Amino acid sequence: MIPQPSWITVLIVLPTLAPMLGAALALVRGRSPSFQRAISVTAISVALTASGMMLYLTSVHGPFAVHIGGWGARDGGDGPLGITLVVDRLAALMLVVSTTVLLCVVVYAIGQGIRDGTTEQPVSIFLPTYLILTAGVCNAFLAGDLFNLYVSFEVLLAASFVLLTLGASAERVRAGASYVMVSMVSSLIFLAGIAFAYAATGTLNLAEMAVRLDDVPDGTRNALYAVLLVAFGIKAAVFPLSTWLPDSYPTAPAPVTAVFAGLLTKVGVYAIIRAHSLLFPGGTLDTVLMIAGLLTMLVGIFGAIAQTDVKRLLSFTLVSHIGYMIFGIAVGSLESTSAAIYYVAHHILVQTTLFLVVGLIERQAGSSSLRRLGGLIASPLLAVLFLIPALNLGGIPPFSGFIGKVALLQAGAADGSVLSWILVAGSVVTSLLTLYVMARIWTKGFWRARADAPEGDMAASTPSALVEEGTDVLLDEREDVGRMPVAMVVPTAVMVVVGLALTVWAGPIFEFTDSGAHGVLDRNVYIGTVLGTGGGR
Amino acid sequence: MTVDLGLLIVAGALAAAGAYLIMERSLIRMLFGLMLVGNAINLLIITLAGPPGHPPIRGRESDGQTADADPLAQGMVLTAIVITLGIAAFVLALSYRLFVINRRSRETPPDLEPTSTESPQDDDLQDDPEDVKIATGSLQGFGDRDRSDDPLTGADTVAGDLFDDHGNPLTAEEFEAVHAGVIETDLMPEDAELIAHLAETDDDMPGDTDIDDEEDDR
């Protein structure tokens, strides 16, 4: 085993610790908006830098594990007792993509906040909460034991409750109430799953549990697996556990919706990958997962077709494309897992970008309803910013969506079972319908003259802002209506470019996800890293 | 492994009562349900962690038992209690806010008939927007609709641009006024004859074929 560099212990806690400390500092100096902005950007940049270094280290040395507080082994050498943080290639890739997205969105949110007039009235709670959310997301990717995973879920959920109900306007509170309840039910199911798993194995550490679960009877194993899958499935919005998502996300401010759409569901997907490959290998519930993935794709995209509001429509496409990842996980081969990992990275970037663009559209036109939008082509920059991620989501070559989908289809075809072929067909149909939906936004929102929109004259509403309800500025009272602040455009453009980078460097990235998938599927590497019994390529 | 059946039955009863309460519409009752289920799962963890009576301090003996009590289970339960407490505080604030909002909207008549037969509580959750849309939606409000629809047949036609929202035909001047300052796309009929023709005949609608003929003449 390659000896770990001593500073990996510092590196591995930074993505969690830096945002946490940043949140504390930002709360202390809540009266100073400029300080809050500086500390937020700094903290997330630190997390991004640490993630990037870990990405390099894992690609060279293989996975690393750190036992916090040195609780590595009991005196009998009986496995880890305390909190373990593990970073392998998959976790490092997720961290880098997530922190990139979080950094872009925080700059966007700051830009929007200045534009919405928060310079005079700072919403002193937004940025600290956002940093706590960052810490929760990063910790979820690093958690090496089930209970730590539960705690990081709770951290990011508690932060997301506050962000979703910012300003406490009527619709946000109504949407937030059901979101809180659904999230808490999923957390309780997860906690029950932890209780059962602990009773069955006597440990919480993922690696040790994976070893001990081999001796557990099959029926008990499958019951545990099912409980955990339901809990993760609610978080990842897998049909039939997905109906809460389109009702709760669209009411939030644009940057909040963008982060939620990009990251929160993917944390659930990441947990499903871990459970599927590490704890319960052998694919006992793969058929269930496949059918769930197929239904998620189709029901989600049919829901999107019926929407008039762009934000709701994108929420449905988000649900729909979770199905692709579930498909990739359920096939369970090296190629499909690699494709699923690539698809997760692609989807985080693209879905977030689209929500940011919708924020710009709201800013520009005062509405996100297709019945009121029109003539957006007047701003070619906005049109380009929308069109690239939209085509990317629809899977048009040469963009990364196409590459990821093709890889998934190849893996499904290589699997060759009847169900896989059905799923391949379903994927193609979903992809085409996604393209149809995106084309509709394009023709209605961009090409059509505003006078032709059925309610085109009713669009002078207040865009959902980061400030409280009473301080909203009506669209037609804004001085610079129809102009987009640079601080909102630049992060969106950066996100588009990063999404394109996934296309340009698809080859190296696919090599990386291949080795990542190998590390995910070959449990012994992970287990050996954590338990110190060799391993670590 | 021995388990304490009494505690398990209590946990099951708590979970059942909590699950029943979570199904309610009122946010406060749902919160009570969450807390009951949370307590049930905490009891479950304690029960599953082993039989009672083990000494909590390492290396001691308590009533003839020398094995240590499991600290992990207790730590888990402590953490879970704290998390539930924090979320409960947040939900209480949220339900108060919902109560205020619903009170305020109660003074204005609601758009929809209440779906339940019970009298609505002030902290009830909303109906699912998708369900409402399916119940009240129409083809006219669909996202694909715009003013290019023929007012009579509902079909997509360029002639639809020559009508206002209520299906009344526009004169050439009105059409100009409506579309002034609009980015011209190639969907607009530029044929002045057709506009004039539509404006003078209220009942005689040209079909798409007529328009095609006009374009051929050009």
Side-chain angles (χ1 to χ4, degrees):
Chain A
M1 182 173 172
I2 298 157
Q4 300 182 0
S6 57
W7 40 271
I8 187 85
T9 39
V10 179
L11 210 55
I12 204 166
V13 295
L14 270 183
T16 312
L17 204 59
M20 281 267 186
L21 289 173
L25 286 172
L27 269 180
V28 169
R29 294 287 309 275
R31 297 256 164 215
S32 161
S34 53
F35 176 82
Q36 277 202 341
R37 288 176 197 136
I39 202 79
S40 308
V41 175
T42 311
I44 299 180
S45 305
V46 169
L48 175 59
T49 314
S51 309
M53 287 166 84
M54 284 196 286
L55 185 77
Y56 170 74
L57 279 175
T58 50
S59 65
V60 175
H61 294 288
F64 293 98
V66 171
H67 305 290
I68 304 293
W71 291 93
R74 271 174 268 202
D75 33 14
D78 203 1
L81 197 60
I83 290 175
T84 308
L85 297 181
V86 188
V87 55
D88 61 357
R89 291 182 181 88
L90 167 65
L93 181 71
M94 298 295 276
L95 274 174
V96 169
V97 175
S98 306
T99 41
T100 309
V101 165
L102 284 158
L103 186 60
C104 288
V105 174
V106 81
V107 174
Y108 180 97
I110 287 168
Q112 185 183 359
I114 292 172
R115 169 71 180 265
D116 286 335
T118 50
T119 36
E120 290 77 27
Q121 303 152 315
V123 184
S124 57
I125 203 61
F126 172 73
L127 288 172
T129 317
Y130 187 89
L131 287 173
I132 295 286
L133 181 86
T134 308
V137 170
C138 292
N139 200 36
F141 291 140
L142 290 170
D145 61 273
L146 261 186
F147 198 73
N148 198 10
L149 189 65
Y150 167 77
V151 171
S152 37
F153 272 162
E154 289 297 334
V155 167
L156 67 89
L157 280 181
S160 70
F161 296 161
V162 176
L163 290 175
L164 195 76
T165 52
L166 265 184
S169 65
E171 57 173 5
R172 280 184 201 169
V173 168
R174 290 196 179 117
S178 42
Y179 172 70
V180 169
M181 280 301 151
V182 171
S183 307
M184 284 314 291
V185 167
S186 89
S187 292
L188 285 173
I189 292 172
F190 186 18
L191 193 59
I194 293 177
F196 296 141
Y198 186 64
T201 61
T203 180
L204 289 170
N205 189 283
L206 288 174
E208 201 180 12
M209 192 182 280
V211 175
R212 292 191 188 178
L213 273 170
D214 293 344
D215 305 332
V216 172
D218 277 351
T220 316
R221 270 183 83 228
N222 289 345
L224 284 177
Y225 189 20
V227 172
L228 289 179
L229 265 191
V230 169
F232 297 150
I234 296 178
K235 293 200 195 307
V238 178
F239 184 84
L241 310 167
S242 62
T243 45
W244 57 271
L245 191 145
D247 293 343
S248 46
Y249 282 11
T251 54
V256 173
T257 314
V259 163
F260 284 11
L263 298 180
L264 297 198
T265 48
K266 308 305 182 302
V267 174
V269 172
Y270 172 84
I272 291 179
I273 293 180
R274 282 277 180 246
H276 178 268
S277 61
L278 180 67
L279 294 181
F280 307 96
T284 41
L285 292 183
D286 276 357
T287 313
V288 179
L289 271 179
M290 282 210 171
I291 293 169
L294 179 69
L295 289 173
T296 307
M297 282 184 214
L298 293 176
V299 173
I301 204 67
F302 284 139
I305 289 174
Q307 299 306 315
T308 56
D309 186 278
V310 181
K311 275 181 160 184
R312 282 186 73 86
L313 190 150
L314 287 176
S315 301
F316 274 99
T317 61
L318 163 68
V319 172
S320 164
H321 285 238
I322 295 287
Y324 283 99
M325 302 161 209
I326 301 297
F327 171 35
I329 296 166
V331 171
S333 65
L334 186 70
E335 294 79 18
S336 75
T337 311
S338 170
I341 294 171
Y342 181 86
Y343 203 88
V344 170
H346 142 81
H347 197 248
I348 288 177
L349 290 166
V350 168
Q351 196 73 52
T352 309
T353 315
L354 279 171
F355 273 108
L356 291 183
V357 173
V358 174
L360 287 174
I361 289 177
E362 272 194 324
R363 173 81 13 198
Q364 178 100 331
S367 169
S368 63
S369 166
L370 284 179
R371 294 179 58 75
R372 300 182 184 184
L373 290 175
L376 290 170
I377 195 71
S379 162
L381 174 67
L382 185 63
V384 170
L385 286 181
F386 170 79
L387 193 63
I388 292 175
L391 292 180
N392 199 337
L393 190 74
I396 295 289
F399 297 116
S400 56
F402 170 75
I403 299 168
K405 286 185 177 78
V406 164
L408 276 173
L409 298 188
Q410 281 177 338
D415 186 57
S417 67
V418 176
L419 197 53
S420 290
W421 279 110
I422 294 174
L423 266 155
V424 167
S427 308
V428 174
V429 170
T430 309
S431 180
L432 288 173
L433 288 176
T434 308
L435 192 63
Y436 161 67
V437 168
M438 289 298 146
R440 220 180 73 197
I441 299 180
W442 178 257
T443 49
K444 300 285 167 197
F446 286 82
W447 262 154
R448 175 180 63 187
R450 181 124 196 188
D452 291 340
E455 300 170 6
D457 50 345
M458 293 170 61
S461 62
T462 56
S464 56
L466 294 168
V467 289
E468 285 179 30
E469 221 181 342
T471 58
D472 276 358
V473 187
L474 277 170
L475 190 84
D476 43 7
E477 292 171 9
R478 289 176 195 269
E479 291 172 2
D480 49 355
V481 63
R483 286 184 43 227
M484 299 175 290
V486 174
M488 286 168 81
V489 174
V490 169
T492 316
V494 169
M495 291 280 298
V496 172
V497 171
V498 174
L500 287 177
L502 271 187
T503 307
V504 177
W505 285 285
I509 291 174
F510 250 109
E511 278 173 28
F512 185 84
T513 56
D514 276 339
S515 62
H518 183 80
V520 166
L521 292 178
D522 183 9
R523 305 194 303 162
N524 298 328
V525 178
Y526 185 98
I527 293 169
T529 309
V530 177
L531 301 183
T533 54
R537 287 185 308 128
Chain B
M1 174 176 156
T2 57
V3 286
D4 191 335
L5 191 63
L7 275 181
L8 279 184
I9 290 173
V10 170
L14 278 176
Y20 178 81
L21 279 174
I22 287 177
M23 305 291 169
E24 291 277 346
R25 250 193 109 110
S26 146
L27 191 57
I28 285 283
R29 290 183 198 172
M30 290 168 83
L31 173 64
F32 290 160
L34 276 187
M35 291 162 89
L36 282 180
V37 176
N39 281 334
I41 292 173
N42 291 342
L43 260 183
L44 185 75
I45 295 177
I46 289 287
T47 315
L48 292 177
H54 289 314
I57 301 174
R58 294 194 68 173
R60 295 298 186 91
E61 182 181 329
S62 158
D63 202 14
Q65 306 196 50
T66 52
D68 308 323
D70 188 353
L72 242 172
Q74 319 217 3
M76 275 199 279
V77 170
L78 267 177
T79 314
I81 288 173
V82 172
I83 288 173
T84 315
L85 177 79
I87 301 292
F90 182 80
V91 175
L92 277 175
L94 198 66
S95 55
Y96 174 71
R97 180 73 193 158
L98 191 66
F99 172 85
V100 170
I101 287 169
N102 283 348
R103 265 294 160 86
R104 201 183 294 157
S105 65
R106 188 67 50 81
E107 291 157 10
T108 58
D111 304 335
L112 288 172
E113 292 296 310
T115 48
S116 62
T117 50
E118 300 170 28
S119 61
Q121 300 289 317
D122 272 332
D123 58 346
D124 275 357
L125 291 181
Q126 60 177 7
D127 287 335
D128 182 9
E130 286 305 306
D131 292 351
V132 173
K133 192 182 293 182
I134 291 167
T136 61
S138 69
L139 211 56
Q140 256 48 43
F142 195 62
D144 268 354
R145 293 284 163 208
D146 62 18
R147 291 189 192 169
S148 295
D149 298 340
D150 187 300
L152 295 181
T153 61
D156 292 334
T157 160
V158 289
D161 288 326
L162 305 177
F163 293 86
D164 63 9
D165 285 346
H166 309 290
N168 305 318
L170 301 171
T171 63
E173 294 76 32
E174 284 169 335
F175 176 82
E176 291 283 331
V178 167
H179 292 280
V182 157
I183 306 116
E184 281 289 334
T185 67
D186 52 1
L187 296 176
M188 301 288 163
E190 295 167 358
D191 201 333
E193 265 186 53
L194 175 68
I195 299 171
H197 167 72
L198 283 172
E200 69 199 17
T201 56
D202 289 3
D203 48 355
D204 182 24
M205 292 267 307
D208 281 342
T209 51
D210 296 343
I211 297 166
D212 288 342
D213 294 345
E214 305 265 6
E215 285 169 359
D216 290 344
D217 296 346
R218 233 184 293 151

